[in-house]
Amino acid sequence: MKLFDVYPINPINIIKGTGSLVYDDKGTEYLDLYGGHAVISIGHTHPHYVKRLQDQLHQIGFYSNSIEIPLQKQLAEKLGNVSGKEDYQLFLCNSGAEANENALKLASFYNGKKKIIAFKKAFHGRTSLAVAATDNPKIVAPVNETDNVVFLPWNDEAALEQAFIDNEVSSVIIESIQGVGGIQVAELSFLQRIRSLCDNYNAVFIADEVQCGYARTGKFYAADHAGINADIYTMAKGMGNGFPIGAISISPKIQPAYGMLGTTFGGNHLACAAGLAVLEVIEQDNLLQNAAEVGAYLIGEVKKLDKVKEVRGKGLMIGIDLPEELSNVKKDLLFKNLIFTGEAKPNVIRLLPALNLSKAHADRFLEAFATTLRNT
């Protein structure tokens, strides 16, 4: 049997990692400023994280949600404390797509309505309803197509208001900073307008924090920068530092009922141990502040470089917009400078490093990036 060939891959076999560094099977060291799509939040093989998982595995790794799992309650309490949403409710699942799928369904359960407002360049996942709310026709199969999703222009308050007038809106789903869309930052006034319209029309505000959340922007949720509360926060990538875990944090106004949501693997013992380890490190090592400070430093320094068209983002979620003739830069950073970065179309370098990225490693990138630009 062969693998189903759906991934364009780099010919590199990474076998070891520590902090923001990874190593291939030949012993070559790379600086990881992408973290496998923003997944590595506290660094590769963080000692506290490894010990948490090892200790749990020696006890029990899995049982279903048909029994009490105290780790789930511990994770909910810790997440409430660290995020500042103590009165919210937690439903645990396995991925960002699953989190968004459940959030959209829960919103419709809550208000009995069907229409979803999403935005141009949005990416919310690949499962049926999540992909229907994703603005990429190439990954939407015919069976996923639905009239229940309305795509609006980014940061367009007039279009948003008209959509509420024209539709029975169940929910608005938005990444406060779009990832796949190229690190597009929502205006704070736009997020605030979503909040007020959802209040006026009894719609549900879903903040997709799968990539932009979990302390990445210097606040726990990217939507927090607008000084508002969403009704549902979805999360996954950085939540488990590589262990599959996702969740939705749900406003107290939405009441649960047996059977409303469900999952086999979500909230298992190992996943909760990973989730607790990540939150403990974020809190103990003050990673919110580090993400804000090192991110601001990176953004400020990149803005000084010639040939850079624009720099967008907050904290350690950064997009560097380059002219078309510099389409080789990402490849050169990897194969000539041994630095992993991400990309977004048409020519955006995406930086999504671990939240404990050091200033020294930031400088290593800046030097390599500046040199690459000069030599291109």
mmCIF file of all heavy atoms in Angstrom, residues 37-72:
data_model
loop_
_atom_site.group_PDB
_atom_site.id
_atom_site.type_symbol
_atom_site.label_atom_id
_atom_site.label_comp_id
_atom_site.label_asym_id
_atom_site.label_seq_id
_atom_site.Cartn_x
_atom_site.Cartn_y
_atom_site.Cartn_z
ATOM 1 N N HIS A 37 2.386 24.423 11.404
ATOM 2 C CA HIS A 37 1.117 25.160 11.299
ATOM 3 C C HIS A 37 0.659 25.695 12.667
ATOM 4 O O HIS A 37 -0.506 25.528 13.044
ATOM 5 C CB HIS A 37 -0.006 24.312 10.703
ATOM 6 C CG HIS A 37 0.325 23.597 9.438
ATOM 7 N ND1 HIS A 37 0.765 24.249 8.302
ATOM 8 C CD2 HIS A 37 0.283 22.282 9.110
ATOM 9 C CE1 HIS A 37 0.968 23.362 7.340
ATOM 10 N NE2 HIS A 37 0.698 22.174 7.804
ATOM 11 N N ALA A 38 1.547 26.285 13.426
ATOM 12 C CA ALA A 38 1.201 26.929 14.706
ATOM 13 C C ALA A 38 0.822 25.937 15.798
ATOM 14 O O ALA A 38 0.208 26.306 16.799
ATOM 15 C CB ALA A 38 0.064 27.946 14.523
ATOM 16 N N VAL A 39 1.208 24.687 15.639
ATOM 17 C CA VAL A 39 0.865 23.653 16.621
ATOM 18 C C VAL A 39 1.813 23.670 17.823
ATOM 19 O O VAL A 39 1.385 23.525 18.975
ATOM 20 C CB VAL A 39 0.877 22.268 15.947
ATOM 21 C CG1 VAL A 39 0.839 21.153 16.980
ATOM 22 C CG2 VAL A 39 -0.307 22.146 14.990
ATOM 23 N N ILE A 40 3.092 23.839 17.576
ATOM 24 C CA ILE A 40 4.077 23.782 18.663
ATOM 25 C C ILE A 40 4.062 25.117 19.403
ATOM 26 O O ILE A 40 4.652 26.101 18.974
ATOM 27 C CB ILE A 40 5.479 23.463 18.119
ATOM 28 C CG1 ILE A 40 5.461 22.120 17.406
ATOM 29 C CG2 ILE A 40 6.497 23.446 19.259
ATOM 30 C CD1 ILE A 40 5.047 20.938 18.276
ATOM 31 N N SER A 41 3.373 25.128 20.528
ATOM 32 C CA SER A 41 3.152 26.376 21.262
ATOM 33 C C SER A 41 4.179 26.605 22.362
ATOM 34 O O SER A 41 4.523 27.755 22.668
ATOM 35 C CB SER A 41 1.745 26.382 21.867
ATOM 36 O OG SER A 41 1.511 25.196 22.591
ATOM 37 N N ILE A 42 4.678 25.535 22.980
ATOM 38 C CA ILE A 42 5.616 25.705 24.102
ATOM 39 C C ILE A 42 6.976 25.097 23.782
ATOM 40 O O ILE A 42 7.792 24.868 24.671
ATOM 41 C CB ILE A 42 5.054 25.110 25.407
ATOM 42 C CG1 ILE A 42 4.737 23.623 25.260
ATOM 43 C CG2 ILE A 42 3.807 25.887 25.843
ATOM 44 C CD1 ILE A 42 4.389 22.933 26.573
ATOM 45 N N GLY A 43 7.241 24.852 22.509
ATOM 46 C CA GLY A 43 8.533 24.306 22.090
ATOM 47 C C GLY A 43 8.509 22.787 22.011
ATOM 48 O O GLY A 43 7.774 22.114 22.731
ATOM 49 N N HIS A 44 9.322 22.263 21.127
ATOM 50 C CA HIS A 44 9.415 20.817 20.954
ATOM 51 C C HIS A 44 9.966 20.162 22.221
ATOM 52 O O HIS A 44 10.911 20.651 22.834
ATOM 53 C CB HIS A 44 10.338 20.490 19.770
ATOM 54 C CG HIS A 44 9.802 20.943 18.446
ATOM 55 N ND1 HIS A 44 8.873 20.219 17.727
ATOM 56 C CD2 HIS A 44 10.056 22.065 17.713
ATOM 57 C CE1 HIS A 44 8.588 20.859 16.599
ATOM 58 N NE2 HIS A 44 9.293 21.985 16.573
ATOM 59 N N THR A 45 9.372 19.053 22.598
ATOM 60 C CA THR A 45 9.793 18.204 23.717
ATOM 61 C C THR A 45 10.056 19.000 25.002
ATOM 62 O O THR A 45 11.039 18.752 25.700
ATOM 63 C CB THR A 45 11.035 17.347 23.357
ATOM 64 O OG1 THR A 45 12.142 18.198 23.050
ATOM 65 C CG2 THR A 45 10.741 16.442 22.178
ATOM 66 N N HIS A 46 9.187 19.943 25.310
ATOM 67 C CA HIS A 46 9.341 20.696 26.554
ATOM 68 C C HIS A 46 9.353 19.705 27.724
ATOM 69 O O HIS A 46 8.481 18.835 27.818
ATOM 70 C CB HIS A 46 8.192 21.682 26.708
ATOM 71 C CG HIS A 46 8.385 22.662 27.820
ATOM 72 N ND1 HIS A 46 8.289 22.318 29.153
ATOM 73 C CD2 HIS A 46 8.677 23.992 27.797
ATOM 74 C CE1 HIS A 46 8.500 23.377 29.902
ATOM 75 N NE2 HIS A 46 8.747 24.404 29.097
ATOM 76 N N PRO A 47 10.307 19.802 28.648
ATOM 77 C CA PRO A 47 10.437 18.795 29.715
ATOM 78 C C PRO A 47 9.167 18.606 30.554
ATOM 79 O O PRO A 47 8.808 17.471 30.890
ATOM 80 C CB PRO A 47 11.586 19.334 30.573
ATOM 81 C CG PRO A 47 12.386 20.181 29.647
ATOM 82 C CD PRO A 47 11.396 20.790 28.690
ATOM 83 N N HIS A 48 8.487 19.690 30.898
ATOM 84 C CA HIS A 48 7.264 19.569 31.702
ATOM 85 C C HIS A 48 6.180 18.845 30.913
ATOM 86 O O HIS A 48 5.459 18.002 31.464
ATOM 87 C CB HIS A 48 6.777 20.959 32.126
ATOM 88 C CG HIS A 48 5.519 20.927 32.933
ATOM 89 N ND1 HIS A 48 5.476 20.426 34.219
ATOM 90 C CD2 HIS A 48 4.251 21.317 32.644
ATOM 91 C CE1 HIS A 48 4.232 20.520 34.690
ATOM 92 N NE2 HIS A 48 3.478 21.051 33.740
ATOM 93 N N TYR A 49 6.087 19.147 29.648
ATOM 94 C CA TYR A 49 5.109 18.512 28.764
ATOM 95 C C TYR A 49 5.383 17.017 28.635
ATOM 96 O O TYR A 49 4.483 16.183 28.767
ATOM 97 C CB TYR A 49 5.183 19.202 27.405
ATOM 98 C CG TYR A 49 4.361 18.605 26.295
ATOM 99 C CD1 TYR A 49 3.002 18.895 26.181
ATOM 100 C CD2 TYR A 49 4.941 17.788 25.328
ATOM 101 C CE1 TYR A 49 2.248 18.372 25.137
ATOM 102 C CE2 TYR A 49 4.200 17.265 24.283
ATOM 103 C CZ TYR A 49 2.848 17.565 24.193
ATOM 104 O OH TYR A 49 2.114 17.048 23.160
ATOM 105 N N VAL A 50 6.638 16.668 28.394
ATOM 106 C CA VAL A 50 7.013 15.261 28.242
ATOM 107 C C VAL A 50 6.708 14.482 29.517
ATOM 108 O O VAL A 50 6.145 13.380 29.473
ATOM 109 C CB VAL A 50 8.497 15.134 27.856
ATOM 110 C CG1 VAL A 50 8.947 13.676 27.898
ATOM 111 C CG2 VAL A 50 8.753 15.721 26.470
ATOM 112 N N LYS A 51 7.052 15.059 30.653
ATOM 113 C CA LYS A 51 6.819 14.367 31.929
ATOM 114 C C LYS A 51 5.319 14.185 32.194
ATOM 115 O O LYS A 51 4.879 13.118 32.655
ATOM 116 C CB LYS A 51 7.471 15.115 33.084
ATOM 117 C CG LYS A 51 7.387 14.373 34.421
ATOM 118 C CD LYS A 51 8.142 15.082 35.523
ATOM 119 C CE LYS A 51 8.194 14.221 36.787
ATOM 120 N NZ LYS A 51 6.880 13.774 37.263
ATOM 121 N N ARG A 52 4.534 15.211 31.899
ATOM 122 C CA ARG A 52 3.083 15.128 32.083
ATOM 123 C C ARG A 52 2.506 13.949 31.287
ATOM 124 O O ARG A 52 1.710 13.166 31.803
ATOM 125 C CB ARG A 52 2.426 16.418 31.605
ATOM 126 C CG ARG A 52 2.036 17.436 32.655
ATOM 127 C CD ARG A 52 0.859 16.981 33.457
ATOM 128 N NE ARG A 52 0.207 18.083 34.169
ATOM 129 C CZ ARG A 52 -0.899 17.933 34.863
ATOM 130 N NH1 ARG A 52 -1.489 16.744 34.928
ATOM 131 N NH2 ARG A 52 -1.440 18.943 35.492
ATOM 132 N N LEU A 53 2.917 13.821 30.036
ATOM 133 C CA LEU A 53 2.405 12.740 29.193
ATOM 134 C C LEU A 53 2.927 11.378 29.644
ATOM 135 O O LEU A 53 2.176 10.388 29.673
ATOM 136 C CB LEU A 53 2.774 12.997 27.735
ATOM 137 C CG LEU A 53 1.940 14.057 27.017
ATOM 138 C CD1 LEU A 53 2.527 14.381 25.659
ATOM 139 C CD2 LEU A 53 0.504 13.590 26.849
ATOM 140 N N GLN A 54 4.190 11.318 29.987
ATOM 141 C CA GLN A 54 4.761 10.045 30.446
ATOM 142 C C GLN A 54 4.063 9.568 31.718
ATOM 143 O O GLN A 54 3.678 8.390 31.815
ATOM 144 C CB GLN A 54 6.261 10.204 30.709
ATOM 145 C CG GLN A 54 7.111 10.273 29.459
ATOM 146 C CD GLN A 54 8.579 10.474 29.772
ATOM 147 O OE1 GLN A 54 8.933 11.045 30.807
ATOM 148 N NE2 GLN A 54 9.441 10.022 28.877
ATOM 149 N N ASP A 55 3.908 10.469 32.669
ATOM 150 C CA ASP A 55 3.264 10.094 33.930
ATOM 151 C C ASP A 55 1.841 9.600 33.690
ATOM 152 O O ASP A 55 1.398 8.619 34.292
ATOM 153 C CB ASP A 55 3.248 11.282 34.900
ATOM 154 C CG ASP A 55 4.629 11.625 35.437
ATOM 155 O OD1 ASP A 55 5.558 10.812 35.241
ATOM 156 O OD2 ASP A 55 4.770 12.712 36.048
ATOM 157 N N GLN A 56 1.115 10.294 32.807
ATOM 158 C CA GLN A 56 -0.266 9.899 32.536
ATOM 159 C C GLN A 56 -0.330 8.550 31.816
ATOM 160 O O GLN A 56 -1.176 7.697 32.118
ATOM 161 C CB GLN A 56 -0.972 10.962 31.699
ATOM 162 C CG GLN A 56 -2.455 10.696 31.486
ATOM 163 C CD GLN A 56 -3.214 10.587 32.790
ATOM 164 O OE1 GLN A 56 -3.095 11.443 33.660
ATOM 165 N NE2 GLN A 56 -3.997 9.533 32.941
ATOM 166 N N LEU A 57 0.594 8.337 30.893
ATOM 167 C CA LEU A 57 0.592 7.097 30.126
ATOM 168 C C LEU A 57 0.852 5.892 31.023
ATOM 169 O O LEU A 57 0.358 4.790 30.771
ATOM 170 C CB LEU A 57 1.634 7.171 29.006
ATOM 171 C CG LEU A 57 1.579 6.090 27.918
ATOM 172 C CD1 LEU A 57 0.205 6.037 27.275
ATOM 173 C CD2 LEU A 57 2.640 6.363 26.874
ATOM 174 N N HIS A 58 1.609 6.094 32.089
ATOM 175 C CA HIS A 58 1.867 5.015 33.035
ATOM 176 C C HIS A 58 0.640 4.704 33.895
ATOM 177 O O HIS A 58 0.595 3.659 34.545
ATOM 178 C CB HIS A 58 3.056 5.361 33.932
ATOM 179 C CG HIS A 58 4.384 5.231 33.261
ATOM 180 N ND1 HIS A 58 4.845 4.036 32.737
ATOM 181 C CD2 HIS A 58 5.357 6.145 32.997
ATOM 182 C CE1 HIS A 58 6.037 4.215 32.206
ATOM 183 N NE2 HIS A 58 6.371 5.487 32.337
ATOM 184 N N GLN A 59 -0.344 5.621 33.883
ATOM 185 C CA GLN A 59 -1.571 5.382 34.649
ATOM 186 C C GLN A 59 -2.678 4.848 33.735
ATOM 187 O O GLN A 59 -3.047 3.691 33.830
ATOM 188 C CB GLN A 59 -2.011 6.688 35.328
ATOM 189 C CG GLN A 59 -0.993 7.195 36.349
ATOM 190 C CD GLN A 59 -1.411 8.527 36.939
ATOM 191 O OE1 GLN A 59 -2.535 8.696 37.392
ATOM 192 N NE2 GLN A 59 -0.497 9.489 36.927
ATOM 193 N N ILE A 60 -3.198 5.673 32.851
ATOM 194 C CA ILE A 60 -4.165 5.247 31.843
ATOM 195 C C ILE A 60 -4.157 6.269 30.723
ATOM 196 O O ILE A 60 -4.070 7.480 30.974
ATOM 197 C CB ILE A 60 -5.588 5.072 32.434
ATOM 198 C CG1 ILE A 60 -6.536 4.477 31.368
ATOM 199 C CG2 ILE A 60 -6.120 6.387 33.002
ATOM 200 C CD1 ILE A 60 -7.875 4.038 31.928
ATOM 201 N N GLY A 61 -4.208 5.794 29.491
ATOM 202 C CA GLY A 61 -4.153 6.693 28.348
ATOM 203 C C GLY A 61 -5.510 7.090 27.823
ATOM 204 O O GLY A 61 -5.690 8.201 27.328
ATOM 205 N N PHE A 62 -6.471 6.174 27.936
ATOM 206 C CA PHE A 62 -7.779 6.446 27.332
ATOM 207 C C PHE A 62 -8.888 5.692 28.037
ATOM 208 O O PHE A 62 -8.738 4.537 28.411
ATOM 209 C CB PHE A 62 -7.794 6.037 25.853
ATOM 210 C CG PHE A 62 -9.167 6.122 25.230
ATOM 211 C CD1 PHE A 62 -9.642 7.334 24.760
ATOM 212 C CD2 PHE A 62 -9.991 5.012 25.151
ATOM 213 C CE1 PHE A 62 -10.913 7.433 24.213
ATOM 214 C CE2 PHE A 62 -11.269 5.099 24.605
ATOM 215 C CZ PHE A 62 -11.727 6.320 24.132
ATOM 216 N N TYR A 63 -9.991 6.377 28.225
ATOM 217 C CA TYR A 63 -11.288 5.753 28.389
ATOM 218 C C TYR A 63 -12.316 6.733 27.848
ATOM 219 O O TYR A 63 -12.018 7.920 27.661
ATOM 220 C CB TYR A 63 -11.605 5.346 29.833
ATOM 221 C CG TYR A 63 -12.593 4.191 29.854
ATOM 222 C CD1 TYR A 63 -12.146 2.899 29.645
ATOM 223 C CD2 TYR A 63 -13.954 4.410 29.979
ATOM 224 C CE1 TYR A 63 -13.022 1.835 29.595
ATOM 225 C CE2 TYR A 63 -14.852 3.359 29.921
ATOM 226 C CZ TYR A 63 -14.380 2.072 29.731
ATOM 227 O OH TYR A 63 -15.261 1.033 29.650
ATOM 228 N N SER A 64 -13.507 6.255 27.562
ATOM 229 C CA SER A 64 -14.485 7.081 26.874
ATOM 230 C C SER A 64 -15.184 8.034 27.827
ATOM 231 O O SER A 64 -15.010 7.987 29.045
ATOM 232 C CB SER A 64 -15.536 6.198 26.191
ATOM 233 O OG SER A 64 -16.423 5.658 27.166
ATOM 234 N N ASN A 65 -16.024 8.885 27.250
ATOM 235 C CA ASN A 65 -16.770 9.875 28.032
ATOM 236 C C ASN A 65 -17.983 9.283 28.749
ATOM 237 O O ASN A 65 -18.865 10.017 29.183
ATOM 238 C CB ASN A 65 -17.203 11.025 27.118
ATOM 239 C CG ASN A 65 -16.042 11.935 26.763
ATOM 240 O OD1 ASN A 65 -15.484 12.599 27.617
ATOM 241 N ND2 ASN A 65 -15.653 11.932 25.502
ATOM 242 N N SER A 66 -18.004 7.978 28.898
ATOM 243 C CA SER A 66 -19.069 7.334 29.670
ATOM 244 C C SER A 66 -18.730 7.242 31.154
ATOM 245 O O SER A 66 -19.537 6.764 31.950
ATOM 246 C CB SER A 66 -19.326 5.923 29.127
ATOM 247 O OG SER A 66 -18.158 5.111 29.274
ATOM 248 N N ILE A 67 -17.516 7.709 31.531
ATOM 249 C CA ILE A 67 -17.092 7.688 32.927
ATOM 250 C C ILE A 67 -16.601 9.076 33.330
ATOM 251 O O ILE A 67 -16.398 9.952 32.492
ATOM 252 C CB ILE A 67 -15.963 6.663 33.147
ATOM 253 C CG1 ILE A 67 -14.772 6.979 32.210
ATOM 254 C CG2 ILE A 67 -16.460 5.250 32.918
ATOM 255 C CD1 ILE A 67 -13.440 6.776 32.802
ATOM 256 N N GLU A 68 -16.400 9.259 34.617
ATOM 257 C CA GLU A 68 -15.803 10.510 35.091
ATOM 258 C C GLU A 68 -14.335 10.567 34.687
ATOM 259 O O GLU A 68 -13.600 9.595 34.841
ATOM 260 C CB GLU A 68 -15.914 10.605 36.616
ATOM 261 C CG GLU A 68 -17.321 10.828 37.133
ATOM 262 C CD GLU A 68 -17.340 11.097 38.630
ATOM 263 O OE1 GLU A 68 -16.250 11.126 39.243
ATOM 264 O OE2 GLU A 68 -18.442 11.289 39.170
ATOM 265 N N ILE A 69 -13.925 11.716 34.190
ATOM 266 C CA ILE A 69 -12.510 11.959 33.868
ATOM 267 C C ILE A 69 -12.129 13.274 34.536
ATOM 268 O O ILE A 69 -12.320 14.358 33.964
ATOM 269 C CB ILE A 69 -12.271 12.003 32.344
ATOM 270 C CG1 ILE A 69 -12.738 10.693 31.690
ATOM 271 C CG2 ILE A 69 -10.795 12.249 32.042
ATOM 272 C CD1 ILE A 69 -12.606 10.650 30.177
ATOM 273 N N PRO A 70 -11.638 13.219 35.766
ATOM 274 C CA PRO A 70 -11.338 14.450 36.506
ATOM 275 C C PRO A 70 -10.398 15.396 35.778
ATOM 276 O O PRO A 70 -10.471 16.613 35.974
ATOM 277 C CB PRO A 70 -10.709 13.922 37.805
ATOM 278 C CG PRO A 70 -11.308 12.557 37.977
ATOM 279 C CD PRO A 70 -11.429 12.012 36.586
ATOM 280 N N LEU A 71 -9.513 14.847 34.934
ATOM 281 C CA LEU A 71 -8.595 15.707 34.176
ATOM 282 C C LEU A 71 -9.349 16.701 33.302
ATOM 283 O O LEU A 71 -8.868 17.811 33.059
ATOM 284 C CB LEU A 71 -7.668 14.857 33.309
ATOM 285 C CG LEU A 71 -6.514 14.134 34.010
ATOM 286 C CD1 LEU A 71 -5.873 13.137 33.070
ATOM 287 C CD2 LEU A 71 -5.482 15.130 34.518
ATOM 288 N N GLN A 72 -10.532 16.316 32.818
ATOM 289 C CA GLN A 72 -11.323 17.237 32.001
ATOM 290 C C GLN A 72 -11.738 18.454 32.818
ATOM 291 O O GLN A 72 -11.676 19.596 32.335
ATOM 292 C CB GLN A 72 -12.557 16.527 31.449
ATOM 293 C CG GLN A 72 -12.260 15.437 30.441
ATOM 294 C CD GLN A 72 -13.533 14.815 29.887
ATOM 295 O OE1 GLN A 72 -14.635 15.091 30.357
ATOM 296 N NE2 GLN A 72 -13.384 13.962 28.884
#
